[in-house]
Amino acid sequence: MDLQLKDKVIIVTGGSKGIGEGISRCLAKEGAIPVIASRSVTESEQLVKELQGEGSPALFIAGDLAEPGSCQMVVAQTISRFGRIDGIVNNAGVNDGVGLEKGSPEGFCSSLNKNLHHYYDLVHFSLPHLKKSRGAIVNISSKVALAGQGHTSGYAAAKGAQLALTREWAAELLPFGIRVNAVLPAEVMTPLYAHWLNTAFEDPDAKKKEITEKIPLEKRMTTKAEIADMAVFLLSPRSSHTTGQWIVVDGGYVHLDRSLT
Ligand code: NAP
């Protein structure tokens, strides 16, 4: 299937590690131009160099998206280099464990800033360009928004709000033909996931085994390439009548009958 993404300029936040890396690679393979907005300088420079070596004009824009003004800067630099924006993948985030009992109002606000505010800011500042291109938006949320995790109120609130904003923006942007969808991963081995396993559990390998045994389809984690394939399809005109959707890519982990595992 030709995804018709050749030369489309797509901003991917956190696009050089984990799920974001998978999305940037998949976009480049489809002939699109990934613009990686991230604070991971070494990984981003390496990835962009690799993609450029394969003929992609991929671009890295360094910065912490939680800092005021950074999303506006990302949009300005993208426009200055390519003159257009065809899509946004809001992906950067961190499960920072700001809980209800073990947390604070300040910590909760800070978590929303790291996980939610830049999703809004980037789309807000890109909008004039997305209107011109009739672009598409993909928000990477999480199963935590549907199932909870415990001890991570800020992250859970941000992930839930991302789902609400997916519907809200899909409605607001109907007149411009801009489609907005969300992808919800559950268990994907990435640097963030590995950090969570290694810090939250005494025996990370045993915990990983316990989790994967409960994943109905093939008793394995979802790969970042599988998340990327869905995100890139949703960015492409081949999903031209799909908007406002929450797509759970998790081997049936959240929704299938427990008795199947
Ligand atoms: P990851 O391995 O930590 O990669 C995320 C990338 O984004 C990193 O390069 C990170 O930089 C960067 N980043 C984070 N916050 C940033 C900020 N404020 N400004 C600039 N760059 C920032 O994470 P991942 O597991 O791929 O997760 C990606 C998305 O998927 C997140 O929204 C997460 O909630 C969601 N998700 C993941 C899973 C999973 O199983 N992995 C499950 C459900 C949802 P640093 O390395 O400096 O932090």
Side-chain angles (χ1 to χ4, degrees), residues 14 17-19 38-40 63-66 91-93 119 140-142 155 159 185-188 190-193:
K17 278 168 79 172
I19 288 169
S38 177
R39 62 184 175 204
S40 302
D64 185 339
L65 297 158
N91 165 74
Y119 275 48
I140 305 296
S141 175
S142 169
Y155 181 74
K159 292 292 155 192
E187 315 293 329
V188 186
T190 64
L192 177 68
Y193 194 98

Side-chain angles (χ1 to χ4, degrees), residues 8 19 47 52 69 84 99 138 190 240 259 261:
K8 302 286 184 201
I19 288 169
L47 180 58
Q52 286 174 346
R84 59 184 295 137
V138 171
T190 64
S240 50
S259 67
T261 58

Side-chain angles (χ1 to χ4, degrees), residues 9 11 35 37 59-61 65 69-85 88 121-122 124-129:
V9 177
I11 299 174
V35 174
L59 176 69
F60 167 45
I61 301 174
L65 297 158
S70 63
C71 289
Q72 207 167 359
M73 179 271 292
V74 167
V75 172
Q77 286 197 25
T78 306
I79 290 301
S80 148
R81 174 77 172 75
F82 298 111
R84 59 184 295 137
I85 297 173
I88 302 288
D121 295 357
L122 189 59
H124 172 77
F125 290 115
S126 300
L127 202 49
H129 309 287

Side-chain angles (χ1 to χ4, degrees), residues 38-224:
S38 177
R39 62 184 175 204
S40 302
V41 175
T42 310
E43 292 84 353
S44 301
E45 284 179 348
Q46 267 171 12
L47 180 58
V48 161
K49 201 170 158 203
E50 184 189 325
L51 297 178
Q52 286 174 346
E54 292 162 3
S56 168
L59 176 69
F60 167 45
I61 301 174
D64 185 339
L65 297 158
E67 293 293 324
S70 63
C71 289
Q72 207 167 359
M73 179 271 292
V74 167
V75 172
Q77 286 197 25
T78 306
I79 290 301
S80 148
R81 174 77 172 75
F82 298 111
R84 59 184 295 137
I85 297 173
D86 298 285
I88 302 288
V89 182
N90 273 319
N91 165 74
V94 57
N95 191 347
D96 50 3
V98 177
L100 180 58
E101 190 172 16
K102 290 183 185 163
S104 66
E106 296 74 24
F108 183 74
C109 266
S110 163
S111 183
L112 293 185
N113 192 39
K114 288 176 197 161
N115 286 298
L116 179 62
H117 294 177
H118 55 85
Y119 275 48
Y120 174 90
D121 295 357
L122 189 59
V123 171
H124 172 77
F125 290 115
S126 300
L127 202 49
H129 309 287
L130 291 171
K131 279 184 182 177
K132 276 190 210 153
S133 63
R134 293 175 76 84
I137 298 163
V138 171
N139 291 323
I140 305 296
S141 175
S142 169
K143 64 138 199 204
V144 170
L146 304 180
Q149 180 181 294
H151 313 288
T152 194
S153 294
Y155 181 74
K159 292 292 155 192
Q162 291 161 11
L163 295 184
L165 289 176
T166 298
R167 293 262 154 87
E168 169 64 9
W169 296 343
E172 182 168 335
L173 301 178
L174 286 172
F176 310 109
I178 299 173
R179 297 176 302 103
V180 190
N181 293 290
V183 174
L184 290 77
E187 315 293 329
V188 186
M189 188 49 71
T190 64
L192 177 68
Y193 194 98
H195 177 77
W196 172 70
L197 270 183
N198 291 331
T199 51
F201 304 99
E202 264 179 33
D203 187 344
D205 289 338
K207 186 65 191 176
K208 186 182 162 212
K209 189 161 175 281
E210 185 192 317
I211 291 169
T212 50
E213 276 168 0
K214 290 185 187 141
I215 297 174
L217 189 63
E218 299 172 355
K219 313 277 182 237
R220 64 167 177 85
M221 298 181 83
T222 309
T223 65
K224 51 191 180 182

